[in-house]
Amino acid sequence: MDFLDYVQMTKGQRIAYRIKSFFTGIPRAIGNFFKIVVYFIKTFFVAIGNGFKNYGRRFSKGDAGTKLSYIIMGAGSMMHKQIGKGLIFLASEIAYIYFMATFGISYLSKMYSVGVQIDEAGNMVDGVIGRERAMYTKNLLGVESISNLDTLDNSNQVLLFAVMTIIITIAFIAIYVANTKSAYASQQTISEGKTPLNFFYEMKMFLDERFHVTLLTLPVVLLMLFTVLPIIFTIFMAFTNYDKEHQPPGSLYWWVGFNNFADVFYANPMKSETFGKILVWTIVWAIFATFTNYILGIVLALLINKKGIKFKGFWRTMFVITAAVPQFVTLLLMRLLLGDNTGLNAMLGTQYPFLSDATWARITIIIVNMWVGIPYTMLISSGLLMNIPEDLYESARIDGANAFQQFTKITFPYILFVTTPYLITTFVGNINNFNVIYFLTGGGPSPSNYYQAGQTDLLVTWLYKLTINSSDFNLAAVIGIIVFVICAVGSLITFNMSKASKNEEEFS
Amino acid sequence: MASNSKKAVALVLAAMMAATALAGCGSSNSGGSTQSTAPSTDASADASADSNASGGGSSAAGGAATVDVDSEDVQKQIKDAIAQEAEATGNKISMTLWCSGDDLTFEKSLVEKFKEKYADSRYKITIRVTGAIGEDNAGGKIIESPKDGADVFNFADDQLSSLVEAKAIAKVADLFNENVKANNSEDSVAVCSYDGTPYAFPKTSDNGYFLYYDKRVYKDEKAVASFDEMIKTAKAANKNVYFNLGNGWYSTGVFFTAGCTVEYKDGKQTATYDTKEGLSAAKAMCHLAENAGNGFVGSAGSSGDNATVQQGFSDGSYAAAVIGTWMAPAIKKAIGDENVGAAKLPTILMDGEQKQLHSFGGYKIIGVNSFSKYPTTAQALAYFLSTKDSQVERYKTRGLIPTNSEALASDDIKNDPALKAIEAQKPYAHPQGSSVGGKYWASNIAGFGNEIVTAKGKISDADLEKKLKDLVTQFAG
Amino acid sequence: MTNTQQSSNMQTGYAARRRAINIVVYVILAVMVVIWIFPIIWLIIQSLRGEEGISTSYFFPHEWTFNNYIRLFNDDRFPYGRWLLNTLVVAVFSCIISTLFILMVSYAFSRLRFKSRKTFLNLGLILGMFPGFMSMAATYSIMELFGLKQSLVALVIVYSAGAGLGYQVAKGFFDTIPRSLDEAAKIDGATRSQIFWQIILPLSKPIIVYTALTTFIGPWTDYIFVSYFMKDNSDNYTVALGLYSMLGNQTMSEYFTVFCAGAVVIAIPITILFVVMQRFYVEGVTGGAVKG
């Protein structure tokens, strides 16, 4: 279905088509989602299978050098006249073995118990163990202090180092495989009667054929260290009892399986009810916040960009200024402007509970969010409006379309088509919108049946509060995983739907 | 008990002397435990204790054989111990002190004096004073992550039990303990102990609340005898009475009034709110909240107590407020010194009769982080901050009521109206430490009051009972 | 003849109607501008208010003063000057590192073809869907291991180490640069590194400005990470957390006007920057993200 075909349909046909394509799109989108998931899993295992197959094949076909490099890394390269490369492989093997011997193994072995002592029956003993093992000494003045603080096992440290060891091991396996491949490749080069590339030439390749390695190495390493590692660590936390009462090194935490997930979904009425309510509000909020801003932002852009309106720059700048002032400033200000006894209420002598009554607060938040967000949408859709190909309008005018028809036939469909990905990112962004909620109401008002949360809290602000205020790190991790799943599933499905209904080439 | 600790002090002193003798020989014996030294010098203990007692004319309070911490000998001992601690970190000591943000400038000045007093060529002390973590949640933050916590921290006494249970707070050193005990009021010393062991240094005795009122609206204390009367008068003057039911610290007073037992023991929180008494208290709160927005303000909204009270008195919309001494300067500034009245809390209508409103009465105390790298220095600092001189100065600069017995007996402090109001409220004031722990504050006790105020008290008994039940479950955690 | 007259009649009628519509539009715009600008004006007025307290029952203060700005930079309890410096340092360093990373990664993904490129792209997409601060407790532990606890360096790392994930917009931009440029340069013997530095980057000013702008504004206004990472260390606060701490229960009424002054000071540079650079911002978003 071409966009132009679509434009040429009558109104009734269009509506029918839209409704039809929407509903026919849903199963396909969901189907596609599962297809993608299955595809990923399949590719993953096929890749691993192939990896092993090739690994074996290279070994059986390899010469002595190649075979040797399966045990002593770099041996193959060195025997195939690639000394420099071989030395690097060898060095990495030695470094890895040293790392594992001095450090890695001990932490990996502790991972099962996370540093907690285990009694004869194999059960984990209560987490006060960390403290119980503390040794107190008194100095000459009678001042008591803990003398063995550094030697107390710390579950945090154990888990973190263990995860680090796993990541390093995976990286090492990659190098190891590369080593066998390289040995085999150079063996083949020699058997073809050519000389393998020398070290300096290979180094130079990092500026050309292998430039992507040069570009990606540093960002990826840092990403691994400060994003991937913490995320894996946090996912592990979701399966422990790392909460206020289990704070290492004072007291340790240990594995509790899926208990935390059970708590959130059904086992703990307080937590699961809170979760349910917050989830519903998060989705309601995300829908309202996204579409109010989107529609009104486009309307505002159209008003400003309307032909014959003067001082376009002035109008735009006025709105851009409010978008440019940092959100924490404007939102904190709004909090006081809309407080029970302050700001507007003080000036008007009233006591409207803008932010202190749940229903009021929810509506206020959505309205304030419009204040915050409309200028952004205006700015972006202004940019888009200027990009609409003029010939579309011209042909429409020739067909005798008036301004309104031009809008409904060209402008709106165009913007909708072009901004669907933007809509998705905004929607995901609103599910994760921390600022508006936290600075305006702080999640409040908090009734007595919410666990560490209030009636305007989103999942992410709840996550934040669980981390900052109540140190329920395990629960926070569970919420984080759930938010991830919602965002991933939601955007995959909508992305598929928009892809299906959109002819990408049309406007690119 | 007392004689035991006296003996211990004597032992310690003896040990110290022995140690100085050794240190004088140039040995650098670092971090040794006394457990081995003390018994071996047992013989000399009695003698040194005697000499101390006879020469102890300068010691503060009568009779007890307290050690004069300021004597040259002891000062030298402390400095030696500090020097020893500093050795491990390159002879540099760097510590953190948490205090209330309001007191920041003042506490900084005290810390300067401390550094002056313990200046020594062997080490250098730097102390970062920050008001970022207030006294209300310092304990919680220390427990949450002791390693990130301050070495010395000011906190409200109710946090002591959870700190001790988390083993996050250090015992008061024997050397200072006797002095603390002898010089401060009995109650204040008691709240610094857990199971008879002292863990903190008392600092101020005004961590409670009472009534501040505008004398232009209420002529005398009789006019502020009951909430109902007060609200009527305030309404007539187009003003409000402020009592924050949306804050558990205040609303618990109503539950106490009804006779609920609120207990925190061995890490377990209990409160009998799901009983007849609890319902009476909740209904009394509803009765007050009926006037919400019309002569009565029962919630701080999003701005918090202090800001609300300050705002209310400065724009003339408040006639009285249930709050504590820390707001005295602001209220005085808003309505003028001469118009500020202080009294015990009014009565509240409960089950058809007027009952005296109960409250929390507590202390602000100073603790030492048990994970501190410099325990001796930290203890010395905590002790210094709690001495009589420091307390008197704190009263003069910050208006905070001391715990030191001598200071309390002095003329300017004795006649302080706030102190009088605290004294009058005392029979109805409950200690925090044994009543409430962390779970109590983590519960939705605040939300409970807020809901009542928002609904203007129009909540059915069944709903109230359900909410109270929810609260009790949350305490149990 | 009649034809043109008719159309000119139609035109005058059309013009009158259009003028009427335009007046309505002007009125709507004016009302909206008032609503949108009102809080900003209120902020500025409050920052010049002489009376203490959270708010007044009147709009214009009875006493105008610059004292709040003077107090802002001379306060013992809230060292705003220091916070401002911290914020600037963190934002500048994060901006430089992040911009570099983003350009490097997006260029590699956009214009270089290599094995496992797709895998990397998908992994990036997945990682990007975890809530940003979900793992901050873990990151804090890592910083602790490196001895960077509560330091500004830790903040710079947090803001820029994961920057590579934000490649989508810049990648979209690089995708639009014709491949023939690369081909021509390759024939002339240029390496891929030379193409990147000498040919593509000079062409990418809009996206560089866009990336720098967003990576600067992020740390400049972030509250979440600072609030968890700095804990009690108020010397290392950035302005966002510092200003937030001014509005604590204890200090709100005393410091509200100072807060407003501080907010004005932090907002001015970023507002000017944004207004001046808005063209690049729009180009970045519409050129990259929207096209997907």
Side-chain angles (χ1 to χ4, degrees):
Chain A
M1 181 95 180
D2 245 354
F3 174 64
L4 281 178
D5 289 342
Y6 173 83
V7 172
Q8 279 157 11
M9 284 195 285
T10 67
K11 203 177 173 193
Q13 279 174 318
R14 277 213 305 268
I15 292 173
Y17 171 72
R18 260 189 240 159
I19 295 173
K20 199 188 97 202
S21 60
F22 180 77
F23 283 106
T24 52
I26 291 175
R28 193 170 47 183
I30 296 174
N32 276 350
F33 168 71
F34 284 108
K35 252 189 249 167
I36 291 175
V37 172
V38 170
Y39 172 78
F40 265 116
I41 297 172
K42 211 177 83 187
T43 344
F44 180 71
F45 282 105
V46 168
I48 289 185
N50 283 341
F52 274 108
K53 209 170 76 191
N54 291 333
Y55 177 78
R57 191 176 52 89
R58 285 197 296 273
F59 186 77
S60 61
K61 288 191 180 171
D63 61 10
T66 308
K67 282 195 168 110
L68 191 56
S69 69
Y70 272 65
I71 302 162
I72 299 169
M73 283 170 64
S77 301
M78 279 187 267
M79 288 167 76
H80 300 144
K81 297 174 192 166
Q82 290 181 308
I83 307 288
K85 201 176 178 181
L87 283 176
I88 290 177
F89 279 132
L90 188 62
S92 66
E93 183 172 19
I94 293 169
Y96 178 74
I97 291 172
Y98 178 76
F99 165 80
M100 286 306 278
T102 57
F103 187 88
I105 296 277
S106 72
Y107 278 103
L108 268 190
S109 63
K110 277 183 197 162
M111 195 174 164
Y112 168 67
S113 63
V114 215
V116 174
Q117 277 189 348
I118 298 176
D119 64 15
E120 290 101 23
N123 298 319
M124 303 206 182
V125 186
D126 193 81
V128 283
I129 280 193
R131 298 182 212 134
E132 297 299 310
R133 277 186 295 161
M135 277 162 57
Y136 294 92
T137 51
K138 255 189 192 181
N139 78 357
L140 300 169
L141 298 172
V143 176
E144 223 178 50
S145 58
I146 301 174
S147 61
N148 61 340
L149 195 57
D150 295 334
T151 64
L152 293 177
D153 266 335
N154 177 335
S155 357
N156 236 352
Q157 212 171 330
V158 169
L159 193 53
L160 187 59
F161 281 140
V163 173
M164 212 185 253
T165 310
I166 292 174
I167 289 183
I168 289 176
T169 305
I170 291 173
F172 173 75
I173 290 173
I175 298 174
Y176 172 75
V177 172
N179 143 65
T180 64
K181 272 186 192 168
S182 156
Y184 186 64
S186 52
Q187 174 196 338
Q188 275 184 323
T189 320
I190 290 171
S191 70
E192 281 163 19
K194 295 181 211 153
T195 340
L197 303 171
N198 76 37
F199 186 63
F200 292 102
Y201 185 81
E202 282 207 72
M203 285 289 113
K204 258 169 87 182
M205 280 169 74
F206 283 111
L207 290 178
D208 200 1
E209 288 90 341
R210 291 185 195 159
F211 189 46
H212 61 274
V213 179
T214 318
L215 286 179
L216 291 178
T217 304
L218 192 57
V220 168
V221 166
L222 287 181
L223 192 73
M224 286 302 230
L225 198 53
F226 293 104
T227 305
V228 177
L229 175 60
I231 285 180
I232 297 177
F233 186 23
T234 311
I235 292 173
F236 277 127
M237 272 182 202
F239 301 93
T240 67
N241 58 356
Y242 187 9
D243 56 18
K244 192 166 193 156
E245 277 151 38
H246 302 92
Q247 291 284 332
S251 69
L252 306 182
Y253 58 81
W254 61 92
W255 303 109
V256 295
F258 281 90
N259 282 4
N260 299 319
F261 288 88
D263 274 358
V264 168
F265 288 122
Y266 59 88
N268 181 322
M270 180 106 181
K271 287 176 187 167
S272 58
E273 269 172 40
T274 310
F275 169 71
K277 285 175 192 153
I278 291 183
L279 178 65
V280 170
W281 162 238
T282 303
I283 289 168
V284 170
W285 144 264
I287 291 172
F288 272 99
T290 309
F291 287 99
T292 49
N293 277 359
Y294 180 70
I295 293 165
L296 295 175
I298 289 175
V299 169
L300 180 61
L302 286 170
L303 289 182
I304 291 178
N305 290 298
K306 189 176 178 303
K307 276 204 187 108
I309 294 295
K310 284 176 190 157
F311 319 117
K312 289 189 165 58
F314 166 77
W315 297 117
R316 200 176 304 137
T317 310
M318 280 294 117
F319 289 101
V320 169
I321 284 176
T322 58
V325 177
Q327 279 190 7
F328 71 88
V329 167
T330 48
L331 290 168
L332 283 175
L333 196 71
M334 285 286 193
R335 186 177 93 187
L336 290 160
L337 194 59
L338 300 170
D340 284 354
N341 316 306
T342 56
L344 280 184
N345 274 330
M347 280 186 251
L348 301 174
T350 50
Q351 279 215 321
Y352 295 117
F354 291 114
L355 299 171
S356 55
D357 175 83
T359 318
W360 279 74
R362 285 175 178 170
I363 296 171
T364 310
I365 285 174
I366 291 174
I367 292 175
V368 171
N369 183 59
M370 280 157 63
W371 185 90
V372 171
I374 285 179
Y376 274 103
T377 327
M378 182 275 292
L379 198 58
I380 287 156
S381 41
S382 286
L384 288 172
L385 290 172
M386 289 169 195
N387 286 344
I388 300 183
E390 191 52 36
D391 48 346
L392 275 181
Y393 287 106
E394 247 162 55
S395 54
R397 269 197 291 274
I398 291 166
D399 291 346
N402 65 22
F404 182 72
Q405 285 167 326
Q406 281 176 30
F407 171 73
T408 51
K409 277 186 180 172
I410 300 170
T411 315
F412 188 70
Y414 173 83
I415 290 186
L416 190 64
F417 275 76
V418 182
T419 52
T420 318
Y422 172 76
L423 255 184
I424 297 171
T425 43
T426 324
F427 189 81
V428 171
N430 273 322
I431 286 181
N432 287 311
N433 197 330
F434 174 88
N435 282 0
V436 172
I437 305 291
Y438 190 79
F439 289 129
L440 264 187
T441 62
S446 318
S448 42
N449 52 353
Y450 274 61
Y451 180 80
Q452 295 293 341
Q455 282 162 307
T456 55
D457 261 321
L458 301 181
L459 286 174
V460 282
T461 51
W462 191 29
L463 189 167
Y464 177 85
K465 284 179 174 178
L466 288 171
T467 311
I468 291 242
N469 297 342
S470 62
S471 296
D472 280 313
F473 296 115
N474 53 352
L475 201 56
V478 172
I479 302 298
I481 293 170
I482 293 171
V483 172
F484 163 74
V485 171
I486 292 173
C487 291
V489 172
S491 32
L492 266 177
I493 289 179
T494 44
F495 189 68
N496 266 316
M497 277 175 75
S498 72
K499 215 174 180 179
S501 65
K502 172 180 165 189
N503 188 337
E504 278 190 298
E505 296 308 309
E506 187 68 33
F507 293 109
S508 60
Chain B
M1 187 67 216
S3 71
N4 263 349
S5 44
K6 251 180 263 170
K7 199 172 176 191
V9 174
L11 277 176
V12 166
L13 277 177
M16 287 185 323
M17 281 169 192
T20 7
L22 287 174
C25 305
S27 85
S28 61
N29 171 26
S30 65
S33 147
T34 46
Q35 261 122 17
S36 57
T37 6
S40 69
T41 51
D42 211 354
S44 62
D46 287 340
S48 79
D50 283 345
S51 74
N52 185 53
S54 59
S58 61
S59 59
T66 52
V67 182
D68 180 10
V69 177
D70 284 325
S71 74
E72 237 171 75
D73 272 1
V74 180
Q75 283 300 308
K76 195 173 175 310
Q77 306 299 328
I78 296 177
K79 280 184 186 173
D80 287 347
I82 294 177
Q84 216 168 49
E85 276 175 3
E87 254 172 34
T89 47
N91 294 322
K92 285 194 186 97
I93 287 179
S94 116
M95 294 201 307
T96 308
L97 168 69
W98 285 352
C99 65
S100 156
D102 285 335
D103 302 338
L104 185 66
T105 316
F106 171 73
E107 297 292 332
K108 269 185 182 166
S109 70
L110 277 188
V111 163
E112 282 313 309
K113 282 185 194 155
F114 170 80
K115 274 161 48 178
E116 224 169 83
K117 185 170 175 185
Y118 288 96
D120 195 288
S121 58
R122 284 171 292 176
Y123 52 80
K124 193 176 176 304
I125 304 181
T126 38
I127 298 172
R128 190 166 63 86
V129 188
T130 168
I133 314 283
E135 290 159 332
D136 49 339
N137 65 348
K141 289 282 169 194
I142 296 275
I143 294 170
E144 202 180 293
S145 145
K147 286 179 301 168
D148 296 328
D151 299 84
V152 182
F153 54 100
N154 290 280
F155 64 107
D157 62 46
D158 62 303
Q159 299 156 32
L160 184 75
S161 42
S162 36
L163 277 165
V164 174
E165 280 151 20
K167 303 212 173 181
I169 191 167
K171 286 178 193 150
V172 174
D174 309 343
L175 170 66
F176 303 120
N177 187 25
E178 281 299 310
N179 282 276
V180 169
K181 239 188 211 168
N183 296 336
N184 291 287
S185 73
E186 214 172 293
D187 289 351
S188 70
V189 174
V191 299
C192 289
S193 306
Y194 183 89
D195 277 351
T197 313
Y199 281 95
F201 302 79
K203 183 184 80 166
T204 69
S205 63
D206 51 9
N207 190 32
Y209 45 91
F210 47 93
L211 192 74
Y212 272 114
Y213 61 93
D214 188 337
K215 282 184 180 163
R216 290 168 301 183
V217 183
Y218 303 107
K219 271 184 229 80
D220 49 22
E221 292 211 6
K222 271 185 205 140
V224 293
S226 85
F227 262 122
D228 289 341
E229 286 299 315
M230 282 174 67
I231 292 171
K232 214 182 278 171
T233 319
K235 206 187 286 182
N238 205 11
K239 288 177 187 260
N240 290 296
V241 175
Y242 177 82
F243 175 41
N244 192 356
L245 297 172
N247 180 332
W249 198 48
Y250 300 100
S251 62
T252 305
V254 185
F255 287 103
F256 279 133
T257 314
C260 293
T261 37
V262 186
E263 206 174 48
Y264 183 75
K265 211 176 168 189
D266 301 331
K268 287 204 174 62
Q269 178 72 53
T270 49
T272 57
Y273 291 179
D274 50 353
T275 56
K276 202 169 86 258
E277 288 81 28
L279 185 63
S280 301
K283 280 164 85 173
M285 286 161 78
C286 288
H287 170 69
L288 282 182
E290 275 172 23
N291 297 305
N294 198 4
F296 178 74
V297 175
S299 153
S302 52
S303 22
D305 276 331
N306 300 343
T308 310
V309 168
Q310 204 268 352
Q311 176 78 22
F313 277 105
S314 20
D315 64 20
S317 61
Y318 285 9
V322 175
I323 198 93
T325 44
W326 59 93
M327 282 307 285
I331 298 174
K332 282 177 184 162
K333 198 170 155 196
I335 60 175
D337 267 18
E338 68 283 2
N339 294 323
V340 181
K344 72 173 169 46
L345 292 174
T347 59
I348 184 170
L349 185 74
M350 190 178 287
D351 298 331
E353 51 180 310
Q354 292 288 342
K355 286 188 178 171
Q356 171 62 43
L357 184 59
H358 288 225
S359 68
F360 273 130
Y363 297 84
K364 300 265 174 73
I365 55 185
I366 309 172
V368 171
N369 190 332
S370 63
F371 289 74
S372 170
K373 269 193 235 161
Y374 313 102
T376 314
T377 325
Q379 297 246 352
L381 174 62
Y383 175 75
F384 181 84
L385 294 176
S386 70
T387 54
K388 183 190 162 196
D389 290 350
S390 301
Q391 289 197 15
V392 170
E393 215 163 312
R394 194 175 280 118
Y395 173 76
K396 283 184 185 150
T397 328
R398 300 282 319 136
L400 303 173
I401 314 280
T403 55
N404 184 288
S405 318
E406 274 182 42
L408 279 173
S410 73
D411 283 343
D412 6 331
I413 301 180
K414 210 163 54 187
N415 294 324
D416 190 288
L419 181 60
K420 280 185 174 165
I422 292 176
E423 288 296 325
Q425 180 67 26
K426 208 164 203 171
Y428 313 102
H430 299 245
Q432 273 186 64
S434 53
S435 311
V436 288
K439 279 207 181 109
Y440 190 83
W441 304 123
S443 79
N444 243 314
I445 181 77
F448 176 75
N450 269 325
E451 279 174 285
I452 288 183
V453 176
T454 315
K456 294 207 166 191
K458 289 185 188 64
I459 302 182
S460 72
D461 286 8
D463 275 359
L464 285 176
E465 273 171 348
K466 192 186 165 292
K467 285 175 197 294
L468 288 166
K469 213 166 192 171
D470 278 351
L471 277 179
V472 173
T473 348
Q474 285 172 38
F475 299 150
Chain C
M1 228 19 218
T2 40
N3 239 348
T4 41
Q5 200 161 15
Q6 218 175 1
S7 79
S8 87
N9 266 347
M10 247 177 73
Q11 261 170 7
T12 45
Y14 182 62
R17 222 185 66 191
R18 204 167 69 176
R19 218 175 300 134
I21 292 174
N22 279 355
I23 287 171
V24 175
V25 172
Y26 279 128
V27 171
I28 295 174
L29 282 179
V31 171
M32 285 183 80
V33 164
V34 169
I35 295 174
W36 254 259
I37 289 294
F38 172 76
I40 311 283
I41 303 284
W42 194 64
L43 172 71
I44 296 169
I45 286 177
Q46 295 300 306
S47 76
L48 298 169
R49 172 156 61 103
E51 304 98 297
E52 257 193 17
I54 309 170
S55 66
T56 49
S57 52
Y58 35 85
F59 187 72
F60 290 107
H62 295 159
E63 188 191 334
W64 296 85
T65 175
F66 265 108
N67 256 341
N68 297 322
Y69 289 89
I70 297 164
R71 252 180 87 189
L72 186 64
F73 287 98
N74 294 305
D75 196 86
D76 197 32
R77 186 162 174 188
F78 296 111
Y80 187 82
R82 181 156 185 161
W83 294 340
L84 200 60
L85 195 68
N86 290 345
T87 314
L88 189 70
V89 168
V90 170
V92 166
F93 278 100
S94 312
C95 169
I96 294 171
I97 300 173
S98 308
T99 308
L100 247 147
F101 276 15
I102 290 176
L103 291 175
M104 282 156 69
V105 172
S106 50
Y107 178 81
F109 283 151
S110 165
R111 303 189 78 77
L112 302 176
R113 289 293 174 272
F114 48 93
K115 232 181 96 187
S116 61
R117 169 175 167 273
K118 273 264 164 202
T119 319
F120 271 110
L121 276 174
N122 288 329
L123 282 179
L125 217 69
I126 292 171
L127 279 179
M129 280 172 191
F130 283 100
F133 49 90
M134 164 187 165
S135 50
M136 63 185 173
T139 318
Y140 184 83
S141 303
I142 295 176
M143 294 301 172
E144 206 176 343
L145 287 183
F146 287 115
L148 294 171
K149 198 168 85 172
Q150 303 183 4
S151 71
L152 293 177
V153 181
L155 275 189
V156 174
I157 293 175
V158 166
Y159 293 134
S160 50
L165 279 181
Y167 59 79
Q168 285 92 345
V169 173
K171 176 180 172 292
F173 177 88
F174 287 132
D175 284 343
T176 62
I177 299 177
R179 296 209 134 253
S180 52
L181 274 178
D182 302 42
E183 304 300 331
K186 232 179 261 176
I187 292 166
D188 289 348
T191 64
R192 284 174 180 79
S193 162
Q194 284 163 332
I195 296 173
F196 176 59
W197 295 108
Q198 289 163 19
I199 297 176
I200 303 295
L201 278 193
L203 283 176
S204 314
K205 195 181 150 205
I207 204 64
I208 295 174
V209 175
Y210 167 80
T211 315
L213 188 65
T214 47
T215 52
F216 183 83
I217 290 177
W220 186 266
T221 58
D222 177 69
Y223 166 83
I224 303 174
F225 280 101
V226 204
S227 68
Y228 188 71
F229 273 60
M230 287 313 165
K231 298 193 189 282
D232 69 314
N233 194 353
S234 49
D235 284 348
N236 279 354
Y237 282 7
T238 60
V239 170
L241 178 59
L243 284 180
Y244 187 84
S245 69
M246 273 189 194
L247 292 188
N249 188 5
Q250 308 273 335
T251 49
M252 194 194 287
S253 56
E254 194 185 339
Y255 280 91
F256 177 67
T257 50
V258 182
F259 161 84
C260 290
V264 170
V265 171
I266 190 82
I268 285 175
I270 207 77
T271 308
I272 293 175
L273 195 68
F274 194 81
V275 170
V276 172
M277 302 287 183
Q278 55 169 302
R279 187 171 65 86
F280 294 103
Y281 182 80
V282 174
E283 269 175 33
V285 177
T286 55
V290 173
K291 266 183 195 148

